[in-house]
Amino acid sequence: MTMHQISHHLTDSLLMAYAADALPEAFSLTVATHISMCDECRARLGAFESLGGAVLERSEAVAMAEDSLSATLARIRGGAPVRDRPAPPRKARGVLPAPLRDYVGGDLDAVRWRPIGMGVKQAILPTSREASARLLYIPAGAAVPDHGHRGTELTLVLQGAFVDETDRFGPGDIEVADEDMHHMPVADIGDDCICLAATDAPLRFRGMIPRLAQPFLRI
Ligand code: ZN
Ligand code: ZN
């Protein structure tokens, strides 16, 4: 969906936890959204899933019918060859990948943004409360206030790009931040930046104003 070469990917532990269905909803939404944009992580996930499946099969010791592999392959081949499949309907200028559209109830025009200061807006998505997921809208050139993390923060870029102390992140890139990391993401000048961010603990802001506003913003 994008010409940008994705260069920041999911960690093995996130992919494994996702394959085992062990992530809080906000994190699995973020992982699923990255996977929908990233062939590389989709392939790595497939490897973890078949690994998990092999472990299960061995532990259940179910005798498989002798022809089960060829039957499975035949079933796979039975599907229409890739080149004959109709192209998926083109979403007119959609920004949100499919896993996110379900949560938002549409594309960007369905997002209910709330200002959180300095031009930055957020929309909290409905997930279970162990972790929270939000869309962030950072105007071109604007910054998210300098902060650290009490837990894990996943930030996936959907549009535009941001730069922080570690690197530059463009569409499809995901940043995995933990307690050791302190950063101030700044959106590129060229385009407003839209991200999906998931956190399992409140952020640690340095400035007084963001700290005071924090409980109201649930950030
Ligand atoms: Zn990836
Ligand atoms: Zn952060």
Side-chain angles (χ1 to χ4, degrees):
M1 72 177 282
T2 168
M3 304 296 282
H4 174 79
Q5 182 67 44
I6 296 176
S7 56
H8 296 88
H9 296 278
L10 293 161
T11 60
D12 281 350
S13 49
L14 277 168
L15 277 170
M16 269 186 268
Y18 179 77
D21 203 12
L23 291 174
E25 188 180 2
F27 281 17
S28 60
L29 169 63
T30 310
V31 169
T33 306
H34 176 82
I35 286 168
S36 76
M37 303 168 86
C38 178
D39 296 337
E40 188 180 317
C41 287
R42 200 177 312 125
R44 287 166 62 213
L45 174 67
F48 283 126
E49 281 174 340
S50 45
L51 197 69
V55 171
L56 267 185
E57 264 163 37
R58 219 176 314 136
S59 61
E60 285 172 9
V62 175
M64 289 181 82
E66 210 154 79
D67 64 345
S68 66
L69 176 61
S70 53
T72 304
L73 289 176
R75 219 178 313 133
I76 292 167
R77 280 194 219 102
V82 173
R83 63 179 177 282
D84 290 350
R85 272 186 208 145
R90 275 195 74 81
K91 283 284 290 184
R93 305 186 53 74
V95 171
L96 303 183
L100 258 182
R101 281 201 299 270
D102 297 343
Y103 277 78
V104 169
D107 203 56
L108 275 189
D109 47 4
V111 177
R112 299 177 55 195
W113 296 108
R114 310 249 181 245
I116 61 172
M118 293 181 294
V120 180
K121 296 183 284 187
Q122 74 170 3
I124 295 176
L125 302 177
T127 62
S128 65
R129 295 193 70 95
E130 317 133 84
S132 68
R134 72 199 65 227
L135 289 166
L136 281 173
Y137 186 101
I138 315 168
V144 172
D146 185 14
H147 63 272
H149 311 90
R150 290 185 176 86
T152 302
E153 178 189 60
L154 306 181
T155 309
L156 170 64
V157 179
L158 304 171
Q159 177 195 292
F162 72 82
V163 176
D164 69 9
E165 287 77 348
T166 65
D167 210 342
R168 179 175 188 276
F169 297 82
D173 282 334
I174 188 160
E175 180 174 45
V176 181
D178 60 19
E179 287 95 336
D180 301 328
M181 190 196 192
H182 211 101
H183 66 166
M184 185 174 78
V186 179
D188 268 15
I189 295 294
D191 198 1
D192 296 341
C193 180
I194 297 173
C195 300
L196 171 64
T199 46
D200 60 2
L203 303 182
R204 211 190 279 273
F205 286 102
R206 268 193 186 151
M208 173 69 86
I209 302 292
R211 255 196 339 257
L212 290 175
Q214 214 171 349
F216 303 103
L217 305 174
R218 289 171 53 199
I219 200 166

